[in-house]
Amino acid sequence: MAILVTGGTGYIGSHTVLELLNAGYDVVALDNLSNSSKKSLQRVNELAGKEAKFYEADIRDEDGLRNIFEKENIDSIIHFAGLKAVGESVEKPLLYYDNNIHGTISLLKVMKEFNVKKFVFSSSATVYGVPAFVPITEECPIGEIPNPYGKTKRMIEVILSDMVKADPEFSLILLRYFNPIGAHESGMIGENPNGIPNNLMPYITQVAVGKRAELGVFGNDYKTHDGTGVRDYIHVVDLALAHVNAIKKLEDFKGTKIYNIGTGNGYSVLDVVKTFEKVNGIKIPYSIKERRPGDIDECYASSKKALDELGWEAKRGLEEMCRDSWNWQKKNPNGFED
Ligand code: NAD
Ligand code: UFG
């Protein structure tokens, strides 16, 4: 029996495949390689000392998916495949609705044909919009989601939950991630953004490696301890391990469960910059810029439900996140292209 990991060569997918292999699971990864490289999985296999199977396939291609389900004995699915660039989703909403929503529906149709009823979905804290309160619990109301990317996450949550209501045999876990950063401690796998990074940590590491001159800090007049935006950064290995616990949890219940996956700690942009500088001994020049549209003051999780029900909590702190992000970037200045 194997776990199908869609988006398995991507940033979070590759780290999760590694932890699943380490935990003894058989893994089948699929990806259309639109935002990743096959090399990530080669490195995962090297690190694990065993192999995940790989299929180059698009989740919108039902026949391609059927071929995989026919060949492999799939028992459960972790669904990472999707496009995730917020700005691009505003410019190209149809691309996002087609790729993320149509893709997920195709996957669900084929999964149903093959009677697979265990599913973990990569959702996001973005579904809380401007959070009604912090720390954000799973009871926090769903907010106004400011971009098509975030809306696809919420729409997929709704589609999946309706599917579960229609089938009492189904077990679904929605994981709402906060801000994943960091990399495997080996520095062999990590985040490899195309073009100018949108997110804070890859931007900082590209400044550190000399690819960008300085970091723009988007606003210093937020209602936070130093005026810069506060987020709940989570080490990608901790996040990957949350999926291993989620896979085990799927055996224990039928229906839908939702968990926030964060550390419970909020750090500002300047906290991250200062910690990165201290841990790695590198100066990060920065200047204060205008606020970025759609950004919020602060966003951090209550991680209590994940601890109580999944037996999972984040173990790695901000210093390890900064050290491992830099270790990956300096060993792989051009990502997987070297
Ligand atoms: P990523 O881009 O590294 O991984 C996504 C993978 O999906 C890529 O390898 C891409 O090639 C693949 N893919 C995209 N469309 C596909 C399709 N139609 N068919 C097959 N493969 C396809 O991104 P990531 O950071 O690893 O994110 C993984 C998941 O987690 C995504 O669903 C993302 O929305 C979600 N998520 C990410 C974050 C974050 O900050 N990184 C936060 C919350 C949620
Ligand atoms: N920031 C900067 N300069 C940059 C990049 C970011 O100051 O060059 C700031 C932002 O203004 C924000 C913080 O750093 O205050 C974090 O920004 P990110 O872009 O790294 O992350 P976001 O919180 O905006 O969004 C991320 C993912 C979303 C996901 C969300 C979940 O990009 O996909 O986390 O909380 F939905």
Side-chain angles (χ1 to χ4, degrees), residues 205-221:
T205 59
Q206 290 201 4
V207 171
V209 85
K211 280 193 178 172
R212 321 243 161 236
E214 64 165 20
L215 171 73
V217 173
F218 299 146
N220 66 350
D221 57 353

Side-chain angles (χ1 to χ4, degrees), residues 8-9 33-34 52 62 69 75 86 114 128 169 174 234 236 266 269 295 303-304 313 315-316:
T9 49
L33 304 178
S34 60
E62 288 180 29
F69 278 80
D75 175 57
V86 170
F114 287 83
Y128 296 113
E169 290 302 308
L174 307 175
I234 172 163
V236 67
V269 176
D295 275 356
S303 42
K304 187 172 179 312
E313 66 181 330
K315 298 264 163 59
R316 295 158 181 80

Side-chain angles (χ1 to χ4, degrees), residues 1-301:
M1 296 297 252
I3 301 167
L4 177 66
V5 179
T6 74
T9 49
Y11 171 47
I12 306 170
S14 57
H15 287 83
T16 302
V17 171
L18 175 58
E19 296 308 329
L20 290 169
L21 291 174
N22 286 343
Y25 290 99
D26 291 331
V27 179
V28 175
L30 82 76
D31 204 295
N32 69 357
L33 304 178
S34 60
N35 196 38
S36 57
S37 159
K38 253 194 290 199
K39 284 189 191 151
S40 67
L41 220 52
Q42 289 162 8
R43 293 192 183 176
V44 164
N45 292 342
E46 247 177 80
L47 285 166
K50 45 188 145 167
E51 292 224 345
K53 283 199 183 166
F54 177 68
Y55 290 87
E56 186 171 340
D58 192 298
I59 51 168
R60 290 165 293 183
D61 171 11
E62 288 180 29
D63 285 338
L65 292 176
R66 267 184 206 104
N67 172 47
I68 300 172
F69 278 80
E70 267 156 18
K71 287 197 181 131
E72 306 295 339
N73 193 3
I74 307 292
D75 175 57
S76 49
I77 299 176
I78 304 180
H79 179 33
F80 293 110
L83 297 173
K84 63 161 186 178
V86 170
E88 185 186 53
S89 79
V90 175
E91 283 156 29
K92 300 176 183 167
L94 282 185
L95 174 67
Y96 274 66
Y97 291 119
D98 182 54
N99 194 79
N100 294 4
I101 309 270
H102 168 194
T104 300
I105 291 174
S106 302
L107 176 66
L108 295 175
K109 279 159 79 178
V110 176
M111 177 188 82
K112 235 174 156 298
E113 284 171 28
F114 287 83
N115 217 23
V116 176
K117 298 195 171 189
K118 287 183 260 173
F119 201 90
V120 179
F121 176 58
S122 296
S123 190
S124 166
T126 196
V127 302
Y128 296 113
V130 180
F133 50 83
V134 286
I136 300 172
T137 66
E138 291 77 359
E139 279 70 48
C140 191
I142 296 301
E144 175 69 32
I145 304 171
N147 55 71
Y149 161 70
K151 287 177 185 159
T152 68
K153 292 281 136 187
R154 179 58 190 156
M155 287 177 190
I156 294 168
E157 288 192 350
V158 172
I159 292 167
L160 286 166
S161 305
D162 282 344
M163 200 172 149
V164 174
K165 280 183 202 147
D167 183 346
E169 290 302 308
F170 213 103
S171 307
L172 166 68
I173 293 184
L174 307 175
L175 296 180
R176 292 179 177 158
Y177 312 156
F178 282 66
N179 290 54
I181 59 172
H184 188 262
E185 61 176 5
S186 63
M188 284 174 67
I189 53 173
E191 188 171 12
N192 184 27
N194 282 328
I196 302 171
N198 298 306
N199 299 116
L200 179 63
M201 185 55 86
Y203 207 105
I204 290 177
T205 59
Q206 290 201 4
V207 171
V209 85
K211 280 193 178 172
R212 321 243 161 236
E214 64 165 20
L215 171 73
V217 173
F218 299 146
N220 66 350
D221 57 353
Y222 285 103
K223 284 193 217 93
T224 62
H225 64 273
D226 61 16
T228 65
V230 164
R231 298 290 182 276
D232 186 338
Y233 296 95
I234 172 163
H235 196 295
V236 67
V237 174
D238 280 325
L239 176 57
L241 289 166
H243 294 78
V244 178
N245 289 33
I247 283 290
K248 290 183 194 143
K249 179 76 184 174
L250 287 174
E251 306 301 328
D252 291 352
F253 75 99
K254 306 276 182 227
T256 301
K257 300 238 176 228
I258 302 177
Y259 300 104
N260 287 341
I261 302 295
T263 65
N265 301 312
Y267 291 104
S268 73
V269 176
L270 293 181
D271 291 335
V272 176
V273 170
K274 284 177 202 150
T275 306
F276 188 95
E277 290 183 333
K278 186 183 92 184
V279 172
N280 298 316
I282 300 169
K283 195 98 199 106
I284 303 296
Y286 68 84
S287 64
I288 306 295
K289 305 275 191 223
E290 291 292 297
R291 285 182 177 210
R292 183 172 65 177
D295 275 356
I296 55 178
D297 300 69
E298 54 179 1
C299 171
Y300 56 94

